[in-house]
Amino acid sequence: MKIAMVGSGYVGLVSGACFADFGHDVVCIDKDQSKIDRLHEGVMPIYEPGLDALVASNVKAGRLTFTTDLAEGIKDASAIFIAVGTPSRRGDGHADLSFVYAVAREVGESLSNDAVVVTKSTVPVGTGDEVERILKESGTPHQVAVVSNPEFLREGAAIGDFKRPDRIVIGAEDEFGREVMREVYRPLFLNESPILFTSRRSSELIKYAANAFLATKITFINEIADLCEKVGGNVQDVARGIGLDGRIGGKFLHAGPGYGGSCFPKDTLALLKTAEDYESPVRIVEAVAKVNDLRKRAMGRKVVEALGGADAARGKRVAMLGLTFKPNTDDMRDSPAIAVAQTLDDAGVSVAAYDPEGMELAKPLMPEVEMAADPYTAIEGADAVVIVTEWDAFRALDLERVKALANAPVLVDLRNIYQPDAMREAGFAYSSIGRV
Ligand code: UGA
């Protein structure tokens, strides 16, 4: 089966490469000529473990190609995926659908056979209806079905998530759409991945509801962590104690500096806008977004506290380990590190940072921060070390070396990757999240 993937960013490229790996013929299409040129040379536009090898082997097998020519790329494709960006619209927080609609228009004008048009981009409820209207308006004589098929990939684990998904959600309004999608995902049917067929609108909402629920889980445990600090509890024990209840589940209960990334902040905001438009408030999500926003700066203040308070902190220096919103990605979007660094800068504290993958993208976002070549260079002369992202490389720091290089043995662990007792025994003034 031939599949066209319009948009070769994170979602499009990972999905395209994985579909090719399942034996489909995939063309990845993107307007960005330099991105396509680099893909032809085997250079990935994003960092994702295993993606370069997966792309290379499928290009070699002749199942994966790249082009900037949409009309050529969608020719003979049974399924045309729209996987372009839906950023938050400047000013009002609504998802910006202009890229999605532009692709729909171009597909309508270029279509040369019957096809299913699939929205893979995260799009608000009702977008599929509009895509359908645009396609009809184009006057194409071919049969077209518009289907919603949201993605649930996590950055850094995207290939595994694609190949062994918890579920596949397909929102289709007619049998033609369902039939083609069954064929698209047949290799996964055989893996016995559950496939949920539903209406297009329900499918669109499932994506937002899933992300909002996960964001809620994280925010809930983050507030419980704060309470643990006040009452003398241990949030990891509390998370385990509630997570073992099958109705709650243990995942996404790691307390930390607040969620970031390209999805949770943007999708919670877009869901709030939809709820507002339909006059059906989702107050829990409202609270989640607000609490998470405030938390990031609060983390900066926690570091200032560890430096001895506002007066003592002025003029001091902090080593920041980890900048990306989570490990195994170079993605800096809405990373808590940005707000933490900003808060420290506001408090007159200078920051030297190290991140295994994120420094290039971080530089323009945090111009006040000095980027170091490795963790120990960042730590040299620091009055406190703060762990913002739980990269494996920070889990076994040479603590004696840290003490020798730093001005003071102060460590603020915003990801709870060390144990309080062991750190105190090692001579550190150690603070973490939700543990005393
Ligand atoms: C998220 C969802 O997990 C995916 O299912 C979804 O497909 C994706 O958004 C999307 O909509 O495209 P992602 O943003 O890559 O994936 O990252 P997550 O692993 O979900 O982490 C998001 C943030 O929450 C990170 O900042 C992470 O550090 C934080 N987090 C996560 C916690 O603080 N605690 C946790 O227990 C889990």
Side-chain angles (χ1 to χ4, degrees):
M1 165 178 244
K2 181 175 168 185
I3 293 176
M5 191 65 66
V6 188
S8 300
Y10 194 82
V11 172
L13 194 56
V14 170
S15 310
C18 288
F19 277 138
D21 210 44
F22 282 135
H24 292 309
D25 258 326
V26 180
V27 183
C28 283
I29 303 162
D30 204 289
K31 277 204 162 355
D32 184 342
Q33 181 72 52
S34 69
K35 190 189 269 180
I36 295 295
D37 290 345
R38 285 199 304 274
L39 281 166
H40 278 137
E41 288 159 17
V43 183
M44 298 301 108
I46 45 148
Y47 172 77
E48 178 64 29
L51 184 61
D52 41 4
L54 191 74
V55 167
S57 70
N58 284 285
V59 167
K60 193 161 170 230
R63 289 189 299 260
L64 181 62
T65 55
F66 307 101
T67 183
T68 53
D69 185 342
L70 184 134
E72 186 55 37
I74 66 169
K75 205 159 157 247
D76 299 328
S78 308
I80 302 166
F81 283 81
I82 303 181
V84 293
T86 53
S88 282
R89 198 159 63 188
R90 215 174 264 253
D92 67 1
H94 272 283
D96 180 350
L97 298 170
S98 54
F99 302 112
V100 172
Y101 294 151
V103 170
R105 223 162 281 125
E106 213 181 327
V107 167
E109 286 157 11
S110 322
L111 209 57
S112 55
N113 49 276
D114 295 351
V116 171
V117 173
V118 192
T119 49
K120 195 128 199 72
S121 306
T122 299
V123 291
V125 180
T127 305
D129 302 355
E130 181 63 12
V131 168
E132 189 171 86
R133 199 191 57 75
I134 292 172
L135 286 164
K136 275 203 186 110
E137 204 179 68
S138 74
T140 175
H142 302 287
Q143 185 187 4
V144 197
V146 176
V147 167
S148 157
N149 171 219
E151 59 84 15
F152 302 102
L153 312 176
R154 284 164 307 162
E155 287 187 22
I159 294 169
D161 282 353
F162 191 95
K163 292 194 163 182
R164 290 173 296 281
D166 285 345
R167 79 308 204 181
I168 295 157
V169 174
I170 292 169
E173 298 296 326
D174 56 32
E175 194 42 40
F176 175 48
R178 280 188 286 272
E179 198 186 302
V180 170
M181 293 309 283
R182 242 179 243 122
E183 195 51 33
V184 166
Y185 281 106
R186 203 166 44 84
L188 285 164
F189 268 132
L190 302 177
N191 280 359
E192 293 184 9
S193 294
I195 303 201
L196 170 73
F197 283 99
T198 180
S199 72
R200 205 162 54 203
R201 286 187 164 232
S202 299
S203 166
E204 288 167 341
L205 194 54
I206 284 169
K207 169 68 191 198
Y208 283 100
N211 273 359
F213 192 82
L214 293 170
T216 303
K217 247 185 136 175
I218 297 167
T219 307
F220 176 81
I221 203 67
N222 282 343
E223 287 203 311
I224 294 293
D226 293 347
L227 188 57
C228 281
E229 286 177 29
K230 296 272 162 58
V231 303
N234 178 323
V235 73
Q236 285 173 318
D237 291 346
V238 175
R240 194 162 155 71
I242 63 173
L244 285 170
D245 183 329
R247 292 169 301 176
I248 296 174
K251 290 183 181 166
F252 275 67
L253 285 179
H254 299 290
Y259 60 77
S262 64
C263 306
F264 290 171
K266 168 174 80 74
D267 293 351
T268 42
L269 211 63
L271 180 61
L272 289 177
K273 290 295 163 189
T274 303
E276 217 174 273
D277 285 353
Y278 285 84
E279 292 180 26
S280 179
V282 280
R283 295 184 194 92
I284 291 176
V285 183
E286 252 167 62
V288 165
K290 186 152 184 210
V291 168
N292 190 67
D293 234 23
L294 294 174
R295 184 171 189 80
K296 295 179 183 175
R297 275 188 78 83
M299 292 297 114
R301 290 197 298 277
K302 191 177 172 82
V303 181
V304 169
E305 236 13 78
L307 288 167
D311 289 342
R314 193 157 291 281
K316 285 197 170 159
R317 182 180 176 82
V318 160
M320 188 181 270
L321 302 188
L323 294 171
T324 50
F325 80 99
K326 67 174 194 176
N328 301 321
T329 174
D330 61 353
D331 202 332
M332 282 298 300
R333 283 176 285 182
D334 274 312
S335 172
I338 301 169
V340 172
Q342 185 65 60
T343 311
L344 290 174
D345 189 53
D346 293 346
V349 178
S350 64
V351 178
Y354 170 75
D355 187 281
E357 294 293 337
M359 293 197 290
E360 221 26 64
L361 292 175
K363 264 185 218 157
L365 296 172
M366 33 207 324
E368 72 281 9
V369 171
E370 185 186 313
M371 300 294 165
D374 60 78
Y376 297 102
T377 313
I379 290 167
E380 213 174 328
D383 298 288
V385 177
V386 51
I387 296 171
V388 182
T389 318
E390 69 277 32
W391 285 92
D392 279 346
F394 305 145
R395 287 177 188 271
L397 290 171
D398 178 344
L399 296 178
E400 285 310 313
R401 197 170 161 202
V402 171
K403 271 198 295 186
L405 286 170
N407 260 350
V410 177
L411 202 142
V412 184
D413 178 1
L414 301 181
R415 297 290 185 167
N416 291 350
I417 59 179
Y418 287 93
Q419 289 309 321
D421 289 348
M423 291 305 283
R424 260 168 234 137
E425 241 166 70
F428 281 87
Y430 175 82
S431 50
S432 57
I433 301 288
R435 304 181 305 177
V436 284

